[in-house]
Amino acid sequence: MKKYQSVVLIGMPGAGKSTLGVLLAKELAMDFVDTDLLIQSREGKTLQEIIDGSDYLNLRRIEGEVISSAELPNHVIATGGSVVYSAEGMANLRLLGPVVFLHCSAAELRRRIHNYESRGIAKAPGQSFEELFAEREALYRKYADITVDCDGRDLQQVLGRVLEELETLS
């Protein structure tokens, strides 16, 4: 398999970016980082506390700053769901390696996410999950080098699919 500098995972909250990212990092002998943790570490607050203390746009701004300046060679990078709102941040991530969109249907994400209102999701006040899903879906597809459908697949099947797709890029 071609050795990438890094592999970037994007997708909605609940798509499995962090969970899959750890397994993928083990398979590829890379480090793993969850960019939500980088944001929380920098700010000294949870994502929800950042939103509660200001607003969702401030969280997106902070995320853009953190991602734009991130130097993460040899990493599997699990991004926050709103990373695609930062063109500068996505440009930086795309320099690091292929961007993999973990696609789940809205129904599957609804089944997985039980804390939509308190999870620290950067969304407009009153924006429904379905509206947010539709808005982000187009951005995920825009930036993705690879799209892997996660519906009806367990974690090992998704991991296998991602590895197969990465192989085709080499």
Side-chain angles (χ1 to χ4, degrees), residues 39-79:
I39 294 164
Q40 290 180 170
S41 176
R42 181 185 115 164
E43 297 298 307
K45 299 175 185 170
T46 67
L47 301 180
Q48 190 61 51
E49 287 169 344
I50 294 168
I51 292 170
D52 291 345
S54 54
D55 62 21
Y56 76 101
L57 292 174
N58 188 44
L59 175 57
R60 288 183 186 172
R61 182 190 57 75
I62 292 166
E63 181 174 42
E65 288 174 4
V66 169
I67 300 305
S68 296
S69 63
E71 293 182 26
L72 298 165
N74 199 47
H75 279 76
V76 172
I77 304 164
T79 62

Side-chain angles (χ1 to χ4, degrees), residues 1-4 27-28 162-167 170:
M1 175 174 286
K2 179 178 187 288
K3 187 72 169 143
Y4 298 104
E27 284 288 325
L28 299 175
V162 170
L163 291 168
E164 286 172 22
E165 291 290 334
L166 287 172
E167 189 69 34
S170 49

Side-chain angles (χ1 to χ4, degrees), residues 5-110:
Q5 186 181 358
S6 293
V7 176
V8 179
L9 303 177
I10 63 173
M12 285 289 287
K17 300 178 299 289
S18 297
T19 308
L20 181 81
V22 170
L23 298 177
L24 187 60
K26 286 181 182 178
E27 284 288 325
L28 299 175
M30 291 180 161
D31 292 323
F32 171 78
V33 65
D34 182 326
T35 61
D36 284 348
L37 299 178
L38 296 178
I39 294 164
Q40 290 180 170
S41 176
R42 181 185 115 164
E43 297 298 307
K45 299 175 185 170
T46 67
L47 301 180
Q48 190 61 51
E49 287 169 344
I50 294 168
I51 292 170
D52 291 345
S54 54
D55 62 21
Y56 76 101
L57 292 174
N58 188 44
L59 175 57
R60 288 183 186 172
R61 182 190 57 75
I62 292 166
E63 181 174 42
E65 288 174 4
V66 169
I67 300 305
S68 296
S69 63
E71 293 182 26
L72 298 165
N74 199 47
H75 279 76
V76 172
I77 304 164
T79 62
S82 57
V83 70
V84 289
Y85 291 109
S86 171
E88 185 181 339
M90 286 306 301
N92 186 44
L93 291 174
R94 292 182 96 180
L95 292 174
L96 297 175
V99 175
V100 179
F101 171 29
L102 299 180
H103 176 266
C104 291
S105 67
E108 175 63 18
L109 292 168
R110 269 284 190 212

